[in-house]
Amino acid sequence: MVYVPTEKSDDGVAKVIYTSKDKKSRKVFTTLDWLARLVTHIPGRYEHTVRYYGYFSNKSRGMRKKDLN
């Protein structure tokens, strides 16, 4: 991720350039668009983030482990 300030931008708009980890795709966002997309990942008040579900959930892993014994 690279931040391009207004002074260094060609069109006078601050930008964020995001490059994927595998370096295959690259997207250019305005700073407000980037912040809007980033904020969507913050859970609301009193909400929990689900990290593992389906095959990787605690319940599924426990049931598989129980079946092996």
Side-chain angles (χ1 to χ4, degrees):
M1 179 174 60
V2 177
Y3 173 69
V4 180
T6 306
E7 298 83 29
K8 294 184 180 181
S9 178
D10 295 334
D11 56 359
V13 177
K15 296 178 182 166
V16 175
I17 302 171
Y18 173 78
T19 307
S20 65
K21 289 182 182 180
D22 61 0
K23 309 284 188 214
K24 290 184 179 180
S25 65
R26 184 176 151 192
K27 292 185 179 182
V28 179
F29 299 96
T30 64
T31 51
L32 291 178
D33 286 339
W34 176 256
L35 283 174
R37 288 179 184 239
L38 183 67
V39 167
T40 61
H41 294 285
I42 300 171
R45 191 171 187 185
Y46 304 116
E47 287 183 8
H48 294 278
T49 303
V50 177
R51 292 199 173 98
Y52 302 106
Y53 58 94
Y55 185 81
F56 298 105
S57 69
N58 288 335
K59 181 179 179 181
S60 295
R61 286 187 293 136
M63 291 171 62
R64 285 192 305 274
K65 187 176 180 179
K66 185 176 167 182
D67 289 342
L68 293 175
N69 291 333

